[in-house]
Amino acid sequence: MTVNELTTSTPAEAPAVTGERADLLETLAKHRHFLRFTTRDLTDEQAGLRTTAGELCLGGLIKHVTSVERGWADFIVHGPSAMGDFTAMTEEDWARRADEFRMLPGETLAGVLADYADVAARTDDLVATLPDLDAAWPLPKAPWFESGARWTARRVLLHIIAETAQHAGHADIVRESLDGAKSMG
């Protein structure tokens, strides 16, 4: 599959589910599509360009959303140990995390999009097959989480949707700053 096919194809059909799960999958697919669409017809170099005052680039935004979705899907399955203790992160750990937001030497847009597609397929399978969306885990230790809070699988999926939508908006601004192209309008 070419980069253009990965970015302009319509959202993949979700597994045959109904009700709340179908709504979650449809919403995830819509926002993933908008995020991928911002990279249509770009070169690897363009996908790595910062076009605003911030540090964001299109390839880095997709890498970040991929990492976030992967981490939260692991949380749904394995609990807080899958994410680690954010309060114990070193400067080196934070530097690695910052690399999520940029295209590194040797990375390609096609590779970033393919990794995102793999993670999305895994999450979609979780949504379709989880025995109980009310299953909950305590959140990992992090300065941004309320101590002792627990999130259900449903709450985690809503967070993934919100994260994807928020970063699709960021990506639209970065792309418009790059060459005037917009996702909508």
Side-chain angles (χ1 to χ4, degrees):
M1 185 172 272
T2 68
V3 170
N4 208 36
E5 290 170 320
L6 284 167
T7 59
T8 60
S9 62
T10 56
E13 281 192 37
V17 295
T18 59
E20 176 184 21
R21 292 170 192 256
D23 291 344
L24 290 167
L25 289 170
E26 181 181 336
T27 304
L28 265 170
K30 177 179 77 170
H31 292 296
R32 287 174 181 147
H33 169 74
F34 285 134
L35 178 59
R36 287 188 317 265
F37 191 65
T38 63
T39 67
R40 69 196 178 282
D41 303 321
L42 293 182
T43 66
D44 294 336
E45 180 183 0
Q46 289 171 312
L49 290 176
R50 293 176 35 213
T51 63
T52 64
E55 295 288 324
L56 303 177
C57 69
L58 293 170
L61 278 167
I62 292 173
K63 282 177 56 178
H64 172 67
V65 171
T66 301
S67 175
V68 166
E69 187 168 326
R70 180 184 292 119
W72 281 113
D74 287 345
F75 173 85
I76 289 172
V77 176
H78 303 290
S81 64
M83 298 180 90
D85 179 350
F86 291 98
T87 64
M89 287 178 63
T90 65
E91 284 186 38
E92 196 172 276
D93 295 328
W94 288 110
R96 271 193 304 279
R97 187 174 168 101
D99 283 344
E100 288 179 5
F101 289 95
R102 57 183 150 259
M103 296 280 289
L104 300 176
E107 291 181 330
T108 64
L109 179 56
V112 167
L113 288 166
D115 191 31
Y116 186 40
D118 290 345
V119 167
R122 177 179 177 236
T123 302
D124 289 352
D125 185 57
L126 273 174
V127 173
T129 62
L130 280 171
D132 183 5
L133 293 178
D134 289 322
W137 294 99
L139 291 174
K141 288 184 182 179
W144 50 86
F145 290 137
E146 179 185 340
S147 179
R150 297 175 65 85
W151 278 9
T152 64
R154 176 183 295 102
R155 176 66 183 88
V156 169
L157 294 167
L158 291 171
H159 179 73
I160 291 169
I161 290 168
E163 182 93 10
T164 304
Q166 178 181 12
H167 289 309
H170 292 145
D172 203 30
I173 292 166
V174 171
R175 177 61 190 259
E176 188 173 357
S177 298
L178 177 67
D179 63 5
K182 300 177 191 176
S183 294
M184 295 189 290

